[in-house]
Amino acid sequence: MSDQMSRITLARRPSGAPVPDDFKLVTEARPEPAEGEVLIEVTHLSLDPYMRGRMDDAKSYAPSVDIGGTMTGQGVGRVIASKADGFTKGDMVTGMTGWASHACLPASELHKLDGTLPPSTALGVLGMPGLTGWVGLHRFGQPKAGETLVVAAATGPVGSMVGQLAKAVGLRTVAIAGGPEKCALATDTFGFDAAIDHRAHDDARSLRKTIAEAAPDGVDIYWENVGGKVLDAVMPLMNVHGRIPVCGMIAWYGGANVEDTNQLPAMWRSILVKRLQVSGFIIFDHWDQYPAFLADVGPKVAAGEIAYLEDVAEGLENAPYAFIAMLKGGNTGKQIVKL
Amino acid sequence: MSDQMSRITLARRPSGAPVPDDFKLVTEARPEPAEGEVLIEVTHLSLDPYMRGRMDDAKSYAPSVDIGGTMTGQGVGRVIASKADGFTKGDMVTGMTGWASHACLPASELHKLDGTLPPSTALGVLGMPGLTGWVGLHRFGQPKAGETLVVAAATGPVGSMVGQLAKAVGLRTVAIAGGPEKCALATDTFGFDAAIDHRAHDDARSLRKTIAEAAPDGVDIYWENVGGKVLDAVMPLMNVHGRIPVCGMIAWYGGANVEDTNQLPAMWRSILVKRLQVSGFIIFDHWDQYPAFLADVGPKVAAGEIAYLEDVAEGLENAPYAFIAMLKGGNTGKQIVKL
């Protein structure tokens, strides 16, 4: 049994929100590393909203997961066998392990952890979500002191990074989050100037009124993580020459319809009249910035200047349940699975 | 009577498409130029789609026309009295005269024509529409040789400029226009590689199929003039890192609803997955580029390298009818009113 491994595969394509039966736990023989590869025992696995897109068959920026294929994702783990120069047994590394207990990966696709911070930070605040916030805010948000930023999913690992970085540049930062606990986190832990509970508002109009009060000078940057009601609420509040980095649309993953059939024309009108810059981006285009990001943000995390929060589920077999809950906003902070 | 003037005022705010009773012809005493001003006898008046927006009370990038106020717009005319240095009787000038037979304007807001081309060109190919195409394509479209451009309203003064400039840079250019005559104009007069009649397609899906055939490598730049069905058709054909300069939305002026309630989420998904750059812009932000534009494009127009087309209505009293027809696509080329 010691040479066995487990992985979570895609059993079938979800229709709408994923359910447990869309996943399957498979146990099989552990692979041997080929020349240039290492075998990793995964200790922590990252769950991220983008994975929902990989479950669909639709053309996307990355290939779909095949039926029967391992769910893709970043993991952290310990090298237990190495056939690659520069890696030895016991090294802690991160790479695209997938939802699996073990993975063989080429050394060129791995990043070695330096051990100054807990390994799980390589999946969140110092991993893909952190990099997403850092690249997206600076490159597409172009924050300027005195401006106002609104962030959806503000206590998530991307949103909390964006809010803290923007605050440090001198912006007024307004968090949108689900529920009073997350709102308290947004202001108390992540330093947002204001936090708004979108669940307290049944419709976009009511939410908009509250955002307008929290952003009396209008919104210069709307960090788009969610789509849906929040987008509808914020759009008319955008200032001239506002920027909207589009990083996700969790409210609309798995298909959705908008109730207000005038929303699209109204949005298009805002883009035109306010001269907005709407920039879709995918972090996989920007991995070349990872060293610069680590050099800038790593010391700030180590010094406690940038806060982070992790929500840890236990056991690979619970990854599907944690993922399903996360898509509904059930997590608090970066969702990790500890193996 | 010789010191009288006429102007077209906004009689009431239109509900949807404007009708003749939304306008009123007023005759009154001609004003005297103050110190630093000139009095202009307008010879040609420009009609442009953006004027529809000025008729609404909604907050926009420029103030609404007040009820009873003169419809705003650019005109060309002859100086008939001057109290400004550098302007003398007989000079041909252009400026924001409004829909009027005469206007008093400060010299600082006027541009003197050099007389090498017909005065009406200052309203179209070498005026605001030409500048719009030139600035928007280069700054927000960022065309690269070998790419594909799709332009809506392609035989209009903006679209035809965009198509010709893009073709000169080495792009494949695809025109969308209304009716077979405009399609023939697009290819024969303006040199588009292909032209598609949107009226021959009842729905976005059918239009999309035809655009896909004309743009076999996908669409890198969609020049957005119209919104509506064309936007819906083009969006899924956008290539990764595509650009969408949003310059107008004539199909949605005066309010509109979209039939497909999934269109907005689908569009947002395209923006994200394809990493699109959607850039609203308003030419009034870019008038500082006017000298550079004239220096680049003026000689090309004079040399016949850039074609242009004007649709001339006669008489100020007919401006409302020409404007109403233009919003329905009834004009061919830049809509001018000759006084």
Side-chain angles (χ1 to χ4, degrees):
Chain A
M1 282 299 285
S2 70
D3 55 354
Q4 294 286 95
M5 67 167 283
S6 303
R7 56 190 179 97
I8 304 273
T9 64
L10 181 64
R12 64 182 186 198
R13 305 211 176 278
S15 136
V19 296
D21 282 352
D22 297 334
F23 303 89
K24 190 177 174 192
L25 181 71
V26 172
T27 300
E28 62 194 9
R30 202 181 287 176
E32 291 285 336
E35 204 52 46
E37 288 188 345
V38 303
L39 176 62
I40 303 155
E41 181 181 59
V42 177
T43 59
H44 299 82
L45 179 64
S46 177
L47 297 182
D48 303 277
Y50 79 86
M51 295 166 173
R52 173 63 189 85
R54 302 292 174 86
M55 300 176 79
D56 289 334
D57 206 12
K59 191 182 168 190
S60 186
Y61 47 85
S64 300
V65 176
D66 290 328
I67 302 293
T70 306
M71 287 292 295
T72 48
Q74 191 185 356
V76 158
R78 190 177 293 107
V79 174
I80 57 173
S82 172
K83 287 191 178 166
D85 289 344
F87 289 84
T88 53
K89 216 170 149 175
D91 283 349
M92 290 300 292
V93 296
T94 182
M96 295 301 283
T97 61
W99 297 20
S101 65
H102 297 76
C104 268
L105 287 173
S108 61
E109 297 177 11
L110 293 174
H111 176 79
K112 214 186 279 191
L113 306 186
D114 69 4
T116 54
L117 284 163
S120 60
T121 57
L123 303 179
V125 65
L126 292 178
M128 196 190 68
L131 177 63
T132 300
W134 186 84
V135 163
L137 181 68
H138 291 302
R139 177 149 178 180
F140 300 107
Q142 299 167 1
K144 294 172 210 52
E147 292 189 329
T148 297
L149 167 89
V150 170
V151 185
T155 61
V158 177
S160 59
M161 176 63 75
V162 169
Q164 291 178 92
L165 293 174
K167 184 79 191 163
V169 178
L171 280 80
R172 176 170 174 80
T173 55
V174 177
I176 317 260
E181 284 175 26
K182 287 186 181 176
C183 285
L185 266 178
T187 50
D188 301 349
T189 302
F190 296 123
F192 281 89
D193 293 304
I196 294 163
D197 178 5
H198 67 80
R199 293 188 182 156
H201 300 274
D202 285 338
D203 57 33
R205 183 180 297 261
S206 159
L207 180 58
R208 185 179 305 142
K209 192 163 168 289
T210 306
I211 299 172
E213 287 163 9
D217 298 327
V219 179
D220 300 289
I221 306 174
Y222 169 53
W223 183 276
E224 172 63 305
N225 269 326
V226 299
K229 183 174 68 176
V230 181
L231 172 61
D232 192 8
V234 173
M235 203 48 141
L237 305 177
M238 292 302 296
N239 286 334
V240 165
H241 295 128
R243 285 84 65 199
I244 304 183
V246 180
C247 165
M249 42 180 277
I250 196 168
W252 282 332
Y253 288 151
N257 293 302
V258 297
E259 282 172 32
D260 177 359
T261 57
N262 187 42
Q263 192 183 338
L264 175 54
M267 187 172 101
W268 217 236
R269 181 182 153 83
S270 290
I271 290 174
L272 174 61
V273 168
K274 307 283 187 66
R275 300 86 129 174
L276 304 182
Q277 190 82 17
V278 180
S279 306
F281 80 100
I282 299 289
I283 198 57
F284 302 103
D285 292 339
H286 304 278
W287 273 116
D288 62 321
Q289 297 296 307
Y290 192 55
F293 159 71
L294 278 187
D296 180 34
V297 176
K300 292 175 182 162
V301 173
E305 292 163 27
I306 289 185
Y308 66 96
L309 202 66
E310 294 176 350
D311 195 330
V312 182
E314 299 274 342
L316 180 64
E317 67 282 8
N318 286 318
Y321 301 93
F323 181 67
I324 290 166
M326 179 190 71
L327 289 178
K328 294 174 181 159
N331 60 316
T332 301
K334 167 64 197 165
Q335 184 65 56
I336 303 276
V337 180
K338 189 168 180 302
L339 270 65
Chain B
M1 286 297 287
S2 69
D3 56 353
Q4 295 286 96
M5 68 166 282
S6 304
R7 57 190 179 98
I8 304 273
T9 64
L10 180 64
R12 63 181 186 198
R13 305 211 177 277
S15 136
V19 297
D21 282 352
D22 297 335
F23 304 89
K24 190 178 175 192
L25 181 71
V26 173
T27 300
E28 63 194 9
R30 202 181 287 177
E32 292 286 335
E35 203 51 46
E37 288 188 344
V38 302
L39 176 63
I40 303 155
E41 180 181 60
V42 177
T43 59
H44 298 83
L45 180 62
S46 177
L47 297 182
D48 302 278
Y50 79 86
M51 295 166 173
R52 173 64 189 85
R54 301 291 174 89
M55 301 175 78
D56 288 333
D57 205 13
K59 191 182 167 189
S60 185
Y61 47 86
S64 300
V65 177
D66 290 329
I67 302 292
T70 306
M71 287 291 296
T72 48
Q74 191 185 356
V76 158
R78 189 176 294 107
V79 173
I80 57 173
S82 172
K83 286 192 178 164
D85 290 342
F87 288 85
T88 53
K89 216 170 150 176
D91 282 351
M92 290 299 293
V93 296
T94 183
M96 296 301 282
T97 61
W99 297 19
S101 65
H102 298 77
C104 268
L105 287 173
S108 60
E109 295 178 11
L110 293 173
H111 177 79
K112 214 186 280 190
L113 307 186
D114 69 4
T116 55
L117 285 163
S120 61
T121 56
L123 302 178
V125 65
L126 292 179
M128 195 191 67
L131 177 63
T132 300
W134 186 83
V135 164
L137 181 68
H138 291 303
R139 177 149 176 179
F140 300 106
Q142 300 167 0
K144 293 172 210 54
E147 291 188 329
T148 297
L149 167 89
V150 170
V151 186
T155 62
V158 177
S160 59
M161 176 62 76
V162 169
Q164 291 179 91
L165 292 174
K167 183 78 191 164
V169 178
L171 280 79
R172 177 170 174 80
T173 55
V174 177
I176 316 261
E181 285 174 27
K182 287 187 180 175
C183 285
L185 267 177
T187 50
D188 300 351
T189 301
F190 295 123
F192 281 89
D193 293 303
I196 294 164
D197 178 5
H198 65 80
R199 293 187 183 158
H201 299 275
D202 286 338
D203 58 32
R205 183 180 296 261
S206 159
L207 179 59
R208 185 179 304 143
K209 193 163 167 287
T210 307
I211 299 172
E213 287 162 9
D217 298 327
V219 179
D220 300 290
I221 305 175
Y222 169 54
W223 183 277
E224 172 62 306
N225 270 325
V226 300
K229 182 174 68 177
V230 180
L231 171 62
D232 192 8
V234 173
M235 205 46 142
L237 304 177
M238 292 301 297
N239 286 334
V240 166
H241 296 130
R243 285 84 65 199
I244 304 183
V246 179
C247 166
M249 43 179 277
I250 197 169
W252 282 331
Y253 287 154
N257 293 302
V258 297
E259 282 172 32
D260 177 0
T261 56
N262 187 43
Q263 191 183 340
L264 175 54
M267 187 172 101
W268 216 237
R269 182 182 152 82
S270 289
I271 290 173
L272 173 60
V273 169
K274 307 284 186 65
R275 299 87 130 176
L276 304 182
Q277 189 82 18
V278 181
S279 307
F281 79 101
I282 300 289
I283 198 56
F284 302 102
D285 291 340
H286 304 279
W287 272 115
D288 62 321
Q289 298 296 306
Y290 193 53
F293 160 70
L294 277 186
D296 180 34
V297 176
K300 291 175 183 164
V301 173
E305 292 163 25
I306 288 186
Y308 67 96
L309 201 67
E310 294 176 350
D311 196 331
V312 182
E314 298 275 342
L316 180 64
E317 68 281 9
N318 286 318
Y321 302 94
F323 181 67
I324 290 165
M326 180 191 71
L327 289 179
K328 293 175 181 158
N331 60 317
T332 301
K334 168 64 199 166
Q335 184 66 56
I336 302 276
V337 180
K338 190 169 178 305
L339 269 66

